[in-house]
């Protein structure tokens, strides 16, 4: 399976649409499948990032495991909609390259205020990124689930999201079954009660609940992290796409697959329908294979910053900030960029390793202490607070030896660039608070 196929598979049904066009099925089938796709009008309130690269497309893709109906068995006492997979597909304005960026569901991020199902507003707070889908979808309304997820991704990345698509668990199972199952080859036996999965080691064909369990399993495989699950899901989708491609000459065999794919698909209203999805797939299929990039947001275990948190990851800065900026400005992350990310991941500079002195330049009492509390909550080491001459703008300064540490801090403050200062206090990065300092840091 080529990387092109992986992009199409992960866009939640676009692969199926492409196959439909290639197989040349009848008009009545086209109309039926077109009617399966559920389009919703998503209203995202509040301030949103500026579109810095007109013509490019950022498509937010969610793998939804709503616990309603047939999915109820996968969660106990869960009444809200759940998201299991989250990624952004960036398609360049010139359509010559694309990047698929995955977000670990355990990413510890700022969740902005969102509208709940009953119309009330949630309070801004930090939590796992996948909670956004649950907050908006607490009453089963995917419009609000999508809106809160879009707000959260935009808030934490600065990327302007153009389209949304979601694929439900049960539709995924139908796609697998329509193809007669998918072969997987686990190296070790898997016994996971939460995923309802019991598997022996070795190659075997999986379908029905076993297929769902395999892509959902987490705690009983490897180190139990979501990062390992992302890899298994990507490998499974590669196999799914390859098997679907093998059916191109048999439209009859493809029908059940396409029917399940389109039934499971929810998109924003502008992307709803066979034609807009096919048009999107057509732009991707013409991109050279070596210019399709697959990345996961650089991250490390939050335990390094907050020893009591053994369940989540935080994004690695300044690498994550640079990656988001590159995509926002439609700059390609090629092989060299991927290599730099891989090298930086070996020895991340954690927030805890950054010593910060916080000074209040606003003239308003208590601002330094408030900012210091935010920084400590994010894992930074605050070595002291104080006052500074009045300033109109928040600044970050550092002694020459702490350039990397200053970048880790400044990348959490959009629009602020750290500057080297011979007069900066030794051994620490200095953060001087101005009126523009955010009330809540991402």
């Amino acid at each position: 399976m080529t990387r092109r196929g992986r992009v199409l598979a992960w866009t939640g049904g676009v692969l199926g649409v492409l196959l439909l066009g290639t197989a040349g099925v009848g008009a009545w089938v086209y109309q039926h499948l077109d009617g399966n796709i559920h389009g919703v009008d998503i209203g995202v309130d509040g301030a949103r990032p500026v579109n810095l690269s007109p013509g490019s497309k950022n498509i937010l893709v969610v793998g939804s495991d709503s616990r309603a109906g047939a999915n109820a068995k996968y969660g106990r006492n869960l009444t809200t909609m759940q998201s299991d997979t989250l990624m952004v597909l960036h398609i360049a304005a010139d359509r010559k390259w694309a990047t698929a960026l995955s977000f670990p569901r355990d990413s510890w991020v700022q969740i902005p205020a969102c509208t709940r199902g009953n119309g009330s507003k949630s309070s801004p707070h930090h939590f796992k990124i996948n909670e956004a889908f649950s907050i908006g979808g607490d009453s089963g309304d995917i419009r609000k689930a999508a809106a809160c997820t879009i707000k959260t991704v935009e808030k934490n990345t600065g990327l302007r999201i153009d389209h949304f698509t979601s694929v439900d668990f049960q539709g995924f199972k139908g796609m697998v079954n329509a193809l007669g199952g998918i072969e997987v080859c686990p190296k070790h036996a898997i016994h996971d009660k939460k995923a309802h999965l019991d598997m022996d080691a070795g190659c075997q064909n999986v379908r029905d609940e076993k297929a769902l369990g395999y892509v959902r399993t987490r705690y009983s495989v490897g180190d139990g992290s979501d990062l390992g699950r992302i890899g298994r899901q990507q490998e499974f989708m590669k196999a799914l796409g390859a098997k679907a491609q093998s059916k191109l000459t048999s439209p009859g065999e493809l029908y059940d697959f396409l029917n399940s794919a389109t039934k499971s698909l929810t998109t924003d209203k502008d992307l709803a329908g066979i034609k807009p999805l096919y048009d999107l797939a057509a732009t991707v299929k013409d991109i050279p294979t070596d210019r399709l990039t697959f990345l996961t947001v650089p991250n490390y275990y939050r335990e390094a910053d907050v020893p009591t948190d053994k369940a989540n990851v935080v994004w690695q800065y300044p690498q994550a900030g640079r990656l988001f900026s590159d995509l926002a400005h439609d700059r390609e992350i090629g092989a060299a960029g991927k290599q730099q990310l891989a090298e930086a991941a070996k020895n991340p500079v954690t927030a805890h390793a950054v010593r910060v002195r916080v000074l209040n330049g606003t003239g308003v009492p208590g601002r330094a202490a408030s900012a210091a509390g935010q920084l400590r909550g994010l894992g930074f080491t605050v070595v002291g607070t104080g006052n500074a001459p009045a300033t109109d703008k928040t600044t970050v300064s550092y002694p020459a030896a702490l350039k990397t540490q200053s970048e880790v801090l400044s990348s959490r403050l959009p629009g602020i660039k750290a500057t080297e200062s011979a007069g900066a206090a030794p051994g620490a990065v200095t953060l001087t608070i101005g009126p523009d300092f955010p009330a809540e840091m991402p």
Side-chain angles (χ1 to χ4, degrees):
M1 179 60 175
T2 65
R3 285 183 290 174
R4 178 182 296 115
R6 289 169 64 184
V7 168
L8 295 173
W10 275 108
T11 53
V14 174
L15 174 62
V17 175
L18 177 60
L19 295 178
L20 171 63
T22 305
V25 297
W28 70 272
V29 175
Y30 178 100
Q31 292 172 358
H32 175 74
L33 297 177
D34 188 71
N36 282 344
I37 300 171
H38 183 209
V40 294
D41 189 2
I42 303 170
V44 182
D45 60 359
R48 301 186 65 187
V50 175
N51 183 356
L52 299 175
S53 57
S56 68
K57 296 293 182 183
N58 288 318
I59 305 165
L60 182 64
V61 183
V62 173
S64 168
D65 62 346
S66 165
R67 303 303 165 85
N71 289 337
K73 70 179 75 175
Y74 294 105
R76 183 176 300 174
N77 300 322
L78 291 175
T79 58
T80 65
M81 302 180 77
Q82 308 290 314
S83 64
D84 188 68
T85 302
L86 185 65
M87 66 173 286
V88 168
L89 175 65
H90 177 90
I91 302 176
D94 63 8
R95 302 301 189 259
K96 293 182 179 180
W97 61 273
T99 294
L101 181 64
S102 293
F103 299 86
R105 61 176 289 178
D106 292 339
S107 297
W108 187 262
V109 300
Q110 184 185 1
I111 310 292
C114 291
T115 303
R116 299 182 183 274
N118 62 7
S120 66
K121 282 276 191 178
S122 64
S123 299
H125 63 284
H126 282 81
F127 206 74
K128 298 175 189 288
I129 194 169
N130 71 323
E131 189 198 37
F133 201 75
S134 302
I135 291 174
D138 62 351
S139 63
D141 188 342
I142 196 168
R143 293 174 301 171
K144 293 177 180 176
C148 190
T149 304
I150 291 172
K151 286 185 68 173
T152 299
V153 171
E154 291 187 340
K155 174 69 176 178
N156 288 276
T157 67
L159 295 172
R160 176 68 178 238
I161 301 301
D162 301 294
H163 294 294
F164 170 87
T165 182
S166 172
V167 182
D168 180 73
F169 256 11
Q170 292 302 313
F172 171 80
K173 183 177 71 174
M175 286 187 276
V176 173
N177 288 351
L179 297 175
I182 299 296
E183 184 179 65
V184 297
C185 299
K187 294 181 180 179
H188 305 284
I190 304 173
H191 304 289
D192 188 338
K193 291 183 179 180
K194 290 186 176 182
H196 299 267
L197 181 64
D198 283 292
M199 288 182 68
D200 296 327
C203 294
Q204 56 203 280
N205 194 69
V206 295
R207 55 184 298 159
D208 295 311
E209 306 306 323
K210 186 167 284 190
L212 285 181
Y214 183 77
V215 296
R216 294 186 70 250
T217 189
R218 169 181 178 177
Y219 298 104
S220 299
V221 184
D223 63 2
S225 74
D226 188 49
L227 305 179
R229 175 164 53 182
I230 288 175
R232 286 189 296 277
Q233 289 175 344
Q234 289 179 343
E235 291 303 312
F236 194 95
M237 292 303 292
K238 285 167 61 180
L240 180 74
K243 194 161 188 178
Q245 284 185 321
S246 72
K247 304 292 186 179
L248 284 174
T249 57
S250 304
E253 293 184 74
L254 275 178
Y255 175 77
D256 287 342
F257 172 80
L258 296 170
N259 194 37
S260 293
T262 51
K263 279 184 177 179
S264 71
L265 193 64
T266 298
T267 73
D268 62 89
K269 64 177 182 179
D270 292 332
L271 203 58
I274 293 294
K275 186 180 187 305
L277 283 172
Y278 182 85
D279 290 344
L280 176 64
T283 67
V284 176
K285 73 179 179 64
D286 291 332
I287 293 173
T289 299
D290 61 356
R291 298 188 69 182
L292 292 173
T293 304
F294 292 82
L295 297 170
T296 298
V297 177
N299 64 85
Y300 59 88
Y301 291 108
R302 189 168 180 254
E303 184 180 6
D305 293 333
V306 182
T308 56
D309 186 351
K310 303 182 186 302
N312 300 300
V313 299
V314 291
W315 295 345
Q316 179 186 351
Y317 288 92
Q319 289 76 17
R322 292 170 181 164
L323 175 57
F324 301 147
S325 179
D326 283 342
L327 294 181
H329 289 88
D330 204 30
R331 294 191 291 259
E332 185 174 8
I333 298 95
K338 290 184 68 175
Q339 182 62 33
Q340 290 175 0
L341 291 173
E343 289 298 321
K346 295 177 181 178
N347 294 291
V349 178
T350 67
H352 184 69
V354 180
R355 295 164 55 84
V356 186
R357 185 169 67 112
V358 185
L359 302 180
N360 182 3
T362 68
V364 179
R367 290 299 304 275
S370 175
Q374 285 194 54
L375 291 171
R376 290 190 183 100
L378 294 173
F380 289 93
T381 300
V382 178
V383 297
T385 59
N387 293 315
T391 180
D392 293 330
K393 188 174 179 62
T394 298
T395 61
V396 174
S397 59
Y398 63 93
L402 298 180
K403 180 179 180 180
T404 300
Q405 288 83 349
S406 73
E407 291 175 341
V408 172
L409 175 60
S410 62
S411 62
R412 305 295 290 266
L413 299 165
I416 296 177
K417 185 177 181 179
T419 57
E420 182 179 342
S421 172
V429 176
T430 299
L431 171 65
T432 303
I433 303 299
D436 58 338
F437 186 78
E440 192 75 24
M441 290 178 64

